Amino acid sequence: MVSFSDFYRRSIEDRDAFWSEQADSIEWQTRPRQICDYSEPPFARWFAGGTTNLCHNAVDRHLADRAQQNALIAISTETNTERAYSYAELHAEVQRMAACLQALGVKQGDRVLIYMPMIAEAAFAMLACARIGAIHSVVFGGFASSSLASRIEDAEPTVIVSADAGSRGGKVVAYKPLLDEAIELSAHKPQAVLLVDRGLAPAAMRAGRDHDWAALRSRHIDAKVPCAWVDSTHTSYTLYTSGTTGKPKGVQRDTGGYAVALASSMRHIFDAKPGDTYFCTSDIGWVVGHSYIIYGPLLAGMATVMYEGLPIRPDAGIWWSIVEKYKVTHMFSAPTAVRVLKKQDPEYLRRYDISSLRGLWLAGEPLDEPTAQWISQSLQVPIIDNYWQTETGWPILTLCNGVEKQTSRFGSPGRAVYGYNVKLIDETNGEELLGPDQKGVLAIEGPLPPGCLQTVWRNDERFVNTYWKSIPGRLIYSTFDWGIRDKDGYYFILGRTDDVINVAGHRLGTREIEECISGSANIAEVAVVGVADSLKGQVAMAFAVVRDASGLTDDAARLKYEGEIMKHVDSQLGAVARPARVFFVNALPKTRSGKLLRRTLQAIAEKRDPGDITTMEDPTALQQIKELLG
Ligand code: ATP
Ligand code: MG
């Protein structure tokens, strides 16, 4: 067995040979002519000249060995339904969906917008697009009509696949009226809408445009739709970033590079094998859902669980009951979900037999050490943080346990993943920081490895200017996250570059202060932002949700606890980091993907307009904060 360090080094120093071997993890119709064409930096063309198909590799390829094994397990605690599809059944359903899309006029290269709840048909639609070479653009189900409209205009889809409704916490959210309104608002009109009617909400059908999936499917029940062999660089999908820092960016992904990167990650990061069962609690509306609900597990011949519902309904044991029932081997979730569980009775985490589980991977936001410790002790399985972005499609920093077993260092997502030439850069002069424990911008030297964005959809200029030109004097990809690396190569994310606080000339990551405050036993979650201050430039301000509010009912108790937290920060980080105020709130503003909207908190604290909040989960969370700040 090679050491991880050697494996990593080879991926950078002997790049083409390394990725040529990884390319064998998928099936090609024609082998690539070239491994990486980087003749026009920063645009990388991976496996140029090769032809392949994502759906072939995710579905058809497995028919010979595991046609009768589970491929997709769709569970909804909203409708109390559960259905497992074998690879053979998935193959049939995807062909039916592909035939329907073709009947509605979809051709190779056309876009199909998918605005769906977490139901099996959403997976069929994504795979059907891949099968016929259409480009899918999944929009998180339940997004407001204005957000949906702008994505329709950007993608210009031939067809939109949707459903009558989604459901959340037992409350039906009708999608069709939102969709109709969005199409109304949009300058681009799709030729057709394919609607999956779940019988949850009335859905008015527009004659000539709207088609019922069940009816159309029955006409294509025996459909045989071959996989279209597309060029490795053929766009497989577009997807928006979460919009945490502003207007979401439309990420464009290729086919061959993505397939190779994911197949390789299943083996080297997740140490997964065919027949294992993967349960990722994200949503197909996010990159984690694309990579690790749909494509990654299926490329690896695993069964994948698709879950519609909350982590605490009917009770906080629901996820672990799924793990027990389906013998889940790999679980993937987000720190925000763990913090939700942390507010519940920990007994639920011990009620089921979860001995099949080999690890819980968490991504999307910083995983603070206390939260990592808590879930690790409660579950007694390895907890593995992983850091990446919609742009990269798969982890940049984590542990590669399939290469060499490593143990987590809580607070750190781990080391640079193979293929990523990660550097810390001094953003003022563009110089690389080589020594340990120096703070800088996390950047990636081109070419980005396979699987990463090809460009910003229809906007090469924005791709180059946004990501590659922010650091003076060099063409390097900026993650816009701020980090530090210890002497063993473990990274720590300190916050986003625009979340760095400058107090009287000291530069502090909001993350450092948050981590410190969340160490206090009664804190469930906390957000720290820098707020303009006439004297110090900026001061830190904290917004905290407590686990148990019973002792904090009056001002005196709150003030006392606020004082204790300030003292704690003083002693851990020094007085410069001490928040000027700690506000106790019921909820923090988040994106629908569960990320803290610090920029929104900051804007409110500075009495500015909060800007684009279309991706916010619950805008009422801002009300209490506005009141507290007067
Ligand atoms: P936008 O780019 O539109 O502002 P976003 O950056 O939140 O939104 P995503 O691509 O969903 O969109 O999120 C990627 C970001 O999430 C990373 O750049 C980083 O800031 C944060 N992140 C993801 N995983 C981790 C992690 N394990 N630890 C710390 N931060 C993480
Ligand atoms: Mg981002």
Side-chain angles (χ1 to χ4, degrees), residues 502-577:
N502 200 329
V503 185
H506 298 273
R507 288 161 63 71
L508 302 159
T510 48
R511 165 84 197 280
E512 294 172 271
I513 310 174
E514 287 168 4
E515 179 109 7
C516 177
I517 296 176
S518 67
S520 172
N522 196 18
I523 299 291
E525 56 183 336
V526 58
V528 171
V529 298
V531 177
D533 182 270
S534 51
L535 217 60
K536 299 177 178 164
Q538 270 185 316
V539 290
M541 205 173 267
F543 299 84
V545 180
V546 295
R547 292 172 74 172
D548 175 9
S550 58
L552 293 177
T553 46
D554 58 82
D555 282 348
R558 282 193 289 269
L559 246 127
K560 181 162 170 276
Y561 191 34
E562 181 176 1
E564 283 170 25
I565 290 174
M566 288 178 175
K567 254 194 226 127
H568 180 63
V569 176
D570 268 8
S571 67
Q572 300 286 309
L573 298 175
V576 282

Side-chain angles (χ1 to χ4, degrees), residues 46 60 131 158 188 216 226 260 263 286 294 390 392 413 420 472 487 526 529 541-542 547:
W46 282 97
D60 301 44
R131 191 169 191 88
T158 309
H188 171 87
L216 204 56
V260 170
W286 316 124
I294 308 295
T390 307
T392 66
Y420 289 96
K487 61 177 185 351
V526 58
V529 298
M541 205 173 267
R547 292 172 74 172

Side-chain angles (χ1 to χ4, degrees), residues 241-245 249 364 366 385-386 388-390 481 496 595:
T241 58
S242 293
T244 311
T245 53
K249 301 165 278 273
D385 189 358
N386 57 118
W388 44 300
Q389 308 183 302
T390 307
D481 288 308
R496 296 171 187 260
K595 290 160 186 287

Side-chain angles (χ1 to χ4, degrees), residues 41-78:
F43 299 92
R45 292 160 46 88
W46 282 97
F47 309 114
T51 58
T52 185
N53 182 288
L54 258 177
C55 183
H56 168 83
N57 277 287
V59 183
D60 301 44
R61 179 186 178 184
H62 304 302
L63 293 175
D65 293 336
R66 50 188 58 85
Q68 301 315 320
Q69 285 179 19
N70 278 348
L72 180 70
I73 302 163
I75 302 172
S76 171
T77 50
E78 297 290 336

